[in-house]
Amino acid sequence: MTEKRTPLPPPSPTFVLRSFSSGVSNIKYDLTDSLRLYIGEQQGSVHLYNLRTRLPILSLSDAHSSTILGLSQFTEENKFITLGKDGFIKVWNEHGQCQWDYQTNHCSFSNCDLISPNLIVTPIGSHNSMIGALDYRCTDPIIKKFLPISTDSNNGMIMKLRVFDNRWLFVAYENGSLKVFDILSTKQLDSYQVTSDHEPITAMDVICNTCLCGTTKSDLISLDFLSLKLEKTSTFRQIEMPNAGTSFIRCRSNDGKLIAVAGWDSRIRLFRRETGKQLAMLDYHRQQINSIDFDFHTKQMACASEDRTVSIWDIYNNKSETNS
């Protein structure tokens, strides 16, 4: 008789950072040192952790008065950027001194991003759909403005944004639409209604001319941006998540092969980008995952959760990832 195989135990994180006073809303690996991690909390604190010692190098307890929505970095100038739900975007030096702040007069759930080398992309103003590119070195920092064409009404709040290849800006809206802007001209190039019932897009990332979107539903949508048009990815099979709601999506940027999808069920699922095949499920956190980041040099993935922890995973060494 053939012996039954013993099921493999569920994957566990390599280690977990726990000393946070509120849910962790945002994380980002330091682009100048792979063993350092920027961490933002829901109460507005920002930390820089040394992953060698697993201790904070820098802690800013009052960086913002509310949730950290975005973390970015100017690598050449050794500065980092924070965006808070309090409407402020701030630039800090390596010692944690705030060198510039700007009140965007905008409140949304959106992150911020960068146009290399020195423009910060963030929602601005009282208009729900407006995005600005800001240069913190200028007296009048607003260098560019991105607005949907006038026929596109009732877009609602900006949910997510992503700069791709320094050429295009992808923006996901509350009404379930996805729009692409040309960064040089600021003109809208195309629009695609991702959700048929106008439910919001809750998660989004862009890699290799492909945009991945998650919503309040259980499906994951893949769109190719080719010839300046958004079209469904033909090779990507329809993914139905076991439970409704996607909180975060991150594509592995060095090769574009791996997608990490965080669901409202607090689980993380890893998929092959080209086909949508599920490779693994990580079930450690007890509350929603708010942010994920990959680091190619350390071959690790970091996940931030509302349960006040950050988990670090060696997912590159997992057997399910060997051939991806």
Side-chain angles (χ1 to χ4, degrees):
M1 293 180 63
T2 304
E3 292 184 6
K4 291 184 178 180
R5 291 184 179 181
T6 305
L8 291 173
S12 297
T14 306
F15 62 90
V16 179
L17 304 175
R18 303 178 185 276
S19 55
F20 304 105
S21 56
S22 62
V24 184
S25 56
N26 214 282
I27 50 174
K28 181 175 178 57
Y29 276 102
D30 186 338
L31 297 176
T32 64
D33 185 344
S34 297
L35 287 170
R36 304 202 310 182
L37 185 70
Y38 288 99
I39 298 171
E41 291 191 53
Q42 289 179 339
Q43 70 170 19
S45 300
V46 175
H47 314 277
L48 176 60
Y49 262 73
N50 183 333
L51 299 182
R52 300 174 182 89
T53 62
R54 305 177 192 179
L55 295 172
I57 302 168
L58 184 68
S59 287
L60 305 172
S61 59
D62 56 352
H64 289 265
S65 61
S66 60
T67 303
I68 304 299
L69 296 173
L71 291 167
S72 293
Q73 191 176 10
F74 290 134
T75 54
E76 293 181 2
E77 301 176 18
N78 207 12
K79 302 179 190 297
F80 64 96
I81 302 103
T82 60
L83 172 65
K85 203 171 181 179
D86 55 10
F88 277 99
I89 191 152
K90 301 183 180 183
V91 176
W92 309 79
N93 66 15
E94 60 184 314
H95 305 296
Q97 297 167 325
C98 183
Q99 298 192 312
W100 180 79
D101 63 41
Y102 180 80
Q103 175 53 259
T104 64
N105 295 310
H106 187 97
C107 182
S108 73
F109 298 102
S110 178
N111 57 308
C112 60
D113 207 347
L114 299 180
I115 300 173
S116 181
N118 48 40
L119 294 184
I120 305 167
V121 182
T122 182
I124 59 171
S126 56
H127 193 296
N128 277 343
S129 303
M130 183 182 291
I131 293 171
L134 313 180
D135 189 335
Y136 77 98
R137 303 167 304 174
C138 299
T139 304
D140 183 2
I142 302 176
I143 306 301
K144 295 175 180 283
K145 292 181 181 179
F146 303 88
L147 261 177
I149 57 177
S150 57
T151 54
D152 291 347
S153 58
N154 300 320
N155 294 293
M157 286 193 299
I158 298 162
M159 301 298 290
K160 300 290 177 183
L161 61 84
R162 191 75 163 147
V163 172
F164 178 68
D165 200 27
N166 250 28
R167 297 170 60 195
W168 300 317
L169 172 63
F170 288 73
V171 186
Y173 291 91
E174 187 181 7
N175 71 342
S177 67
L178 175 71
K179 304 185 192 303
V180 185
F181 297 87
D182 178 83
I183 286 176
L184 185 62
S185 68
T186 72
K187 291 181 179 178
Q188 180 181 313
L189 299 175
D190 199 17
S191 178
Y192 190 98
Q193 186 62 42
V194 174
T195 58
S196 58
D197 54 2
H198 295 275
E199 285 292 308
I201 297 172
T202 56
M204 185 261 284
D205 200 9
V206 184
I207 192 76
C208 301
N209 282 15
T210 299
C211 181
L212 282 300
C213 297
T215 69
T216 58
K217 307 295 184 183
S218 59
D219 54 340
L220 187 66
I221 297 99
S222 176
L223 300 169
D224 287 337
F225 186 62
L226 302 172
S227 303
L228 304 184
K229 293 291 290 182
L230 287 163
E231 298 177 348
K232 279 199 172 181
T233 307
S234 59
T235 58
F236 190 89
R237 69 180 178 87
Q238 182 73 20
I239 291 180
E240 290 289 338
M241 304 285 280
N243 301 300
T246 301
S247 58
F248 200 85
I249 296 174
R250 176 64 78 226
C251 302
R252 190 170 68 186
S253 60
N254 65 294
D255 59 9
K257 291 184 176 181
L258 186 67
I259 310 166
V261 180
W264 289 355
D265 60 3
S266 78
R267 296 180 175 91
I268 302 161
R269 293 172 175 86
L270 304 178
F271 296 93
R272 197 184 303 275
R273 183 187 64 83
E274 297 93 332
T275 62
K277 178 184 177 182
Q278 182 169 322
L279 302 171
M281 184 185 75
L282 310 179
D283 185 13
Y284 171 79
H285 291 280
R286 302 278 73 87
Q287 295 185 50
Q288 179 176 297
I289 309 295
N290 292 321
S291 185
I292 300 170
D293 201 17
F294 287 104
D295 182 75
F296 178 66
H297 300 289
T298 59
K299 303 189 183 302
Q300 289 182 333
M301 179 181 74
C303 303
S305 172
E306 288 189 8
D307 64 12
R308 304 188 180 192
T309 66
V310 173
S311 57
I312 308 296
W313 303 78
D314 285 316
I315 52 98
Y316 288 71
N317 299 326
N318 192 295
K319 286 185 178 180
S320 64
E321 239 281 285
T322 303
N323 298 318
S324 68

